[in-house]
Amino acid sequence: MSIVQQKLHIAVFPWLAHGHILPFLEVSKFLVQMGHRVSYISTPKNISRLPKFPLELSPNLSFVVLPMPQVEGLPPGVESTADIPVHKLPYLKKAYDNLETPLAEFLKTLRIDWIIHDFAPHWLPRIAAPMGINLAYFIIYSASTTAFFGPPDELIGGHRQRPEDFTVTPEWIDYPSDVAFKLHEIVSLEQGMDQDVSDFIRWGSVLQGCQVVTLRSCPEFEPDPLRLLPRLLQKPVVPIGLLPPLLTSAPPDEDDEDDTWKSLRKWLDGKNPKSVFYIALGTEVALSPSLAHELALGIEKSGLPFVWIIKNRPLVEGQMDQDILPPEFEERISGRGFVLRGWAPQMRILAHPSIGGFLTHCGWSSTIEALGLGLPLILFSGAYSDLGLVARLLHGKRVGMEIERNEVDGSFTSEAVAKGIRVVMVEADGEAIRANASAMREICGNVELGRKYLTEFTRFLENYKPLTL
């Protein structure tokens, strides 16, 4: 436990998405370990879904539950992006905006020094500033994504007005980069935006109003964008590191293992080292039934053993994941493939010696987990959020290979899927990818490096001169 001269009270306020909620929790736990008091703020279901934490953290880590506002168009009981298809996301953002008043009332009840916040609450600067509360904008995305979106004035009213404008590297990028959207990706991203307040306006507004920007990256992984960002954003940029997943996690207790993992582990134990590829498409990826069938057929055509995690959520309106596997798929791959529906212990699976690669939707958390274990990536962009930008970044770093897709509509063939899997897993053309990914373990899995950047971020918060009323 680090002793600090002044114990800060820090509020933490993530966006309502699994990929945001957990990194914010990891930072919260670290700040508590450093001696600060943290109030983690979210809605009831999101708080209830959080993983358990060590009891010794509990006195200084409190969870503040704000009732989820209901808005027309948002199905009852929905509190996160994982519960709805992409075209319903604008209603979730409208509901999130209705948290402004209850959040302001909470902030008035306590002395808060900092709020660590996400991209969505464009209204937060105007309620925090009169209270003298400093804002730290935690961008859970990569530095390359952050640089691609650009400065606040570009986000709020820049020259990129058409989807096509986002398919090229912007003029302010002063280093070699292929990071840009494919047309189908930016069209999909815009489908999830609230037309009254776009994600770009949200991002630009919180950038203008914050005192410091932190993001999930480090100079060892992304030196060029981290060099550019302070000048581009005109703000202090203090990277928080890659948040290796084992940073604050205890080793798994075999007594806690459930029957599903026990059966999967037994299956994996019977496979050769690095022979199995793992497939997980996150909680937000939407595929039509025909494209889901094409993906499954490509996985089958690869001829390699695999573990496929299928989430029990609607991929398209009224259709659950298990409805979109091709007929008799599971019978045909019996013995070679293991299909698991619902939640799965991803880190335990990735860490198993039989796993040799990861077919991923390119979520930043998942890719960091895989690269932290030295696993090469079969990149299948989820075409939402910044997933396409992550795919370009990792393809460019030669730690993975993108599955070839039509840039306009996102379609692909089963042959392209099979080819991508085989190159990354077994073919000679993928040797450099496998070697590069293995070397990334030294950065992405480096717990001490992660602690270094978290500590530097904490010191910035401690030493920053507070706003004066």
Side-chain angles (χ1 to χ4, degrees), residues 59-366:
N60 281 331
L61 178 58
S62 59
F63 295 96
V64 179
V65 179
L66 300 182
M68 183 68 189
Q70 294 302 304
V71 298
E72 185 178 353
L74 187 68
V78 167
E79 294 188 17
S80 111
T81 58
D83 301 329
I84 47 175
V86 64
H87 69 274
K88 293 282 188 183
L89 290 180
Y91 303 108
L92 187 66
K93 288 167 184 169
K94 290 179 185 296
Y96 186 85
D97 287 342
N98 287 342
L99 292 172
E100 176 179 356
T101 298
L103 179 64
E105 291 304 312
F106 166 75
L107 295 174
K108 291 174 184 175
T109 65
L110 296 166
R111 180 184 170 274
I112 303 289
D113 299 290
W114 284 93
I115 302 173
I116 300 176
H117 61 89
D118 218 318
F119 79 96
H122 61 100
W123 36 264
L124 187 57
R126 71 169 175 260
I127 65 173
M131 300 182 193
I133 301 174
N134 295 304
L135 298 180
Y137 177 17
F138 177 19
I139 301 173
I140 66 140
Y141 306 117
S142 69
S144 297
T145 289
T146 306
F148 175 84
F149 282 123
D153 57 348
E154 172 62 38
L155 286 158
I156 293 171
H159 70 279
R160 293 187 292 188
Q161 300 296 321
R162 304 173 305 137
E164 291 81 2
D165 297 334
F166 292 86
T167 62
V168 295
T169 305
E171 59 190 17
W172 54 79
I173 300 296
D174 63 357
Y175 50 86
S177 174
D178 295 323
V179 173
F181 284 109
K182 306 298 186 187
L183 186 62
H184 71 96
E185 293 167 343
I186 187 64
V187 169
S188 176
L189 175 62
E190 291 182 345
Q191 285 178 352
M193 292 191 193
D194 176 4
Q195 293 305 306
D196 295 330
V197 188
S198 75
D199 288 7
F200 301 133
I201 290 175
R202 292 175 187 276
W203 189 310
S205 299
V206 293
L207 270 176
Q208 285 180 333
C210 70
Q211 277 66 53
V212 61
V213 173
T214 189
L215 66 171
R216 192 175 183 181
S217 187
C218 65
E220 288 79 2
F221 192 75
E222 296 185 278
D224 289 327
L226 283 171
R227 170 188 52 77
L228 171 64
L229 281 173
R231 174 165 53 86
L232 191 66
L233 304 182
Q234 295 294 299
K235 297 279 179 178
V237 176
V238 184
I240 213 162
L242 292 168
L243 300 181
L246 298 180
L247 193 60
T248 56
S249 303
D253 185 342
E254 291 192 11
D255 293 337
D256 291 338
E257 293 181 353
D258 60 27
D259 291 339
T260 301
W261 166 239
K262 287 178 180 177
S263 63
L264 175 53
R265 186 179 63 177
K266 183 178 179 180
W267 187 86
L268 287 168
D269 287 345
K271 304 300 179 186
N272 292 328
K274 296 194 178 300
S275 66
V276 181
F277 65 100
Y278 172 69
I279 309 149
L281 300 182
T283 56
E284 297 171 13
V285 173
L287 286 177
S288 68
S290 62
L291 287 183
H293 284 194
E294 202 69 20
L295 176 64
L297 291 173
I299 289 165
E300 184 179 354
K301 287 178 181 178
S302 76
L304 300 176
F306 63 89
V307 175
W308 191 355
I309 308 305
I310 297 182
K311 304 288 185 182
N312 289 319
R313 61 153 304 197
L315 287 184
V316 292
E317 200 70 55
Q319 203 161 15
M320 298 302 285
D321 292 28
Q322 56 263 47
D323 299 328
I324 61 174
L325 288 179
E328 301 178 353
F329 173 79
E330 292 184 74
E331 290 81 359
R332 294 198 302 272
I333 56 87
S334 177
R336 178 164 67 84
F338 195 110
V339 176
L340 180 59
R341 292 183 171 86
W343 181 87
Q346 179 160 294
M347 278 303 296
R348 287 180 176 181
I349 298 170
L350 290 173
H352 193 281
S354 294
I355 300 295
F358 183 11
L359 195 161
T360 174
H361 68 305
C362 304
W364 195 224
S365 291
S366 290

Side-chain angles (χ1 to χ4, degrees), residues 1-8 31-36 455 458-459 462-463:
M1 180 76 71
S2 174
I3 298 175
V4 296
Q5 290 182 336
Q6 179 192 5
K7 185 176 290 189
L8 298 173
L31 290 167
V32 169
Q33 289 174 337
M34 295 292 281
H36 298 295
T455 300
T458 306
R459 298 300 179 223
E462 292 168 357
N463 296 321

